[in-house]
Amino acid sequence: MRHINPLLLLLLAALPALHCQASEKDELALVMRQLDQVQASLDRARVVANQEQDARFYFDYQQATRDITIMKQGISTYLEPSRAQPSSRSASVSGQYRAEEPSWR
């Protein structure tokens, strides 16, 4: 039977733990990709909703898109900070996406 180097065994045992710990930037990059996927899903849902206009209430796709844009801008600003301009804290996510059907529609 072959003898296995104990250091190699230790390295192989620790490899899964090293692989599971992604950096903060990696995680935030993943969030950015997921937000892109959410936006694509919202766009597809908007197309379906435009075909079915009988509802009294509707999902506010424009507000959801604005909120996704704000989140992506915040993450981008954190990942690639601009030292020349101060960050703006005025934009906030509304979280309100249900709206009543306008009477003019």
Side-chain angles (χ1 to χ4, degrees), residues 28-86:
L28 290 173
L30 175 61
V31 170
M32 293 288 277
R33 289 191 300 275
Q34 290 170 337
L35 287 172
D36 288 337
Q37 292 171 353
V38 169
Q39 183 61 57
S41 295
L42 278 173
D43 293 340
R44 289 189 299 271
R46 181 183 303 154
V47 169
V48 172
N50 287 337
Q51 296 169 358
E52 304 167 0
Q53 297 182 1
D54 298 339
R56 178 176 172 205
F57 295 99
Y58 65 98
F59 189 83
D60 191 348
Y61 291 98
Q62 290 179 340
Q63 184 61 51
T65 298
R66 283 191 295 267
D67 289 346
I68 290 171
T69 301
I70 290 168
M71 287 186 276
K72 289 177 68 175
Q73 286 173 346
I75 293 170
S76 293
T77 300
Y78 176 77
L79 291 175
E80 300 169 12
S82 171
R83 301 292 182 212
Q85 302 172 357

Side-chain angles (χ1 to χ4, degrees), residues 9-20:
L9 283 175
L10 181 63
L11 180 61
L12 289 174
L15 189 59
L18 293 174
H19 185 271
C20 292

